[in-house]
Amino acid sequence: QILEKGSKIYCVDSKAKLYGPFDVIVGADGVFSLVRKCSSNRSGITGLIGDARWARDKFWDFGTTRIRRGADLAIRDGIECGLLLLEDQCDLGKFDAKHKRQQRILLYWTTCTLFLVLMILTQIT
């Protein structure tokens, strides 16, 4: 769980132990990321790297990229995100969890709209 108190954030684990305060939390906790679930409305203070950031977007390859190259991509993400944090204390860029959620919602609605348009076109012809 992620808690906000003022401009600082704290993490609470499954045993109710409190960690923090932190300026930024970056989740590298895999495909079923708890950080992604807890950070849906927090912009600029929670980020995602590795499988937590991109594994669910690449559903068409049935996980082969994650299995073959997941660690490489996670390390690259970690280095790039770390450099962003060194340059600007709170700008996570493409690693921002809220930005990632907005991309997924946009993809979902675009797919639904395309499907609906195709259904309407097939009914007309």
Side-chain angles (χ1 to χ4, degrees):
Q1 187 178 16
I2 298 174
L3 303 172
E4 287 183 69
K5 292 182 181 179
S7 63
K8 300 292 182 183
I9 49 179
Y10 298 82
C11 291
V12 180
D13 67 9
S14 60
K15 297 177 183 174
K17 185 173 180 182
L18 186 68
Y19 299 93
F22 303 107
D23 293 323
V24 176
I25 294 176
V26 177
D29 53 345
V31 178
F32 303 108
S33 173
L34 295 175
V35 174
R36 180 180 45 237
K37 291 176 187 172
C38 294
S39 64
S40 60
N41 295 321
R42 294 169 172 87
S43 182
I45 60 170
T46 54
L48 301 169
I49 62 172
D51 287 351
R53 183 171 79 91
W54 61 266
R56 290 192 173 187
D57 294 344
K58 298 183 179 188
F59 58 88
W60 59 84
D61 72 354
F62 301 107
T64 57
T65 301
R66 184 176 60 82
I67 292 167
R68 288 182 304 157
R69 298 183 47 224
D72 295 342
L73 294 172
I75 291 169
R76 288 180 187 177
D77 280 356
I79 292 169
E80 191 176 343
C81 184
L83 291 173
L84 280 173
L85 288 171
L86 284 174
E87 292 172 6
D88 184 349
Q89 294 300 316
C90 286
D91 182 18
L92 294 173
K94 67 181 181 181
F95 302 104
D96 191 333
K98 186 174 182 181
H99 174 72
K100 186 64 176 177
R101 184 171 177 82
Q102 289 170 341
Q103 282 182 325
R104 288 188 61 127
I105 290 170
L106 180 64
L107 177 63
Y108 172 79
W109 284 110
T110 303
T111 305
C112 289
T113 304
L114 180 62
F115 182 71
L116 183 62
V117 167
L118 288 174
M119 286 183 58
I120 291 171
L121 288 176
T122 57
Q123 295 294 324
I124 292 173
T125 58

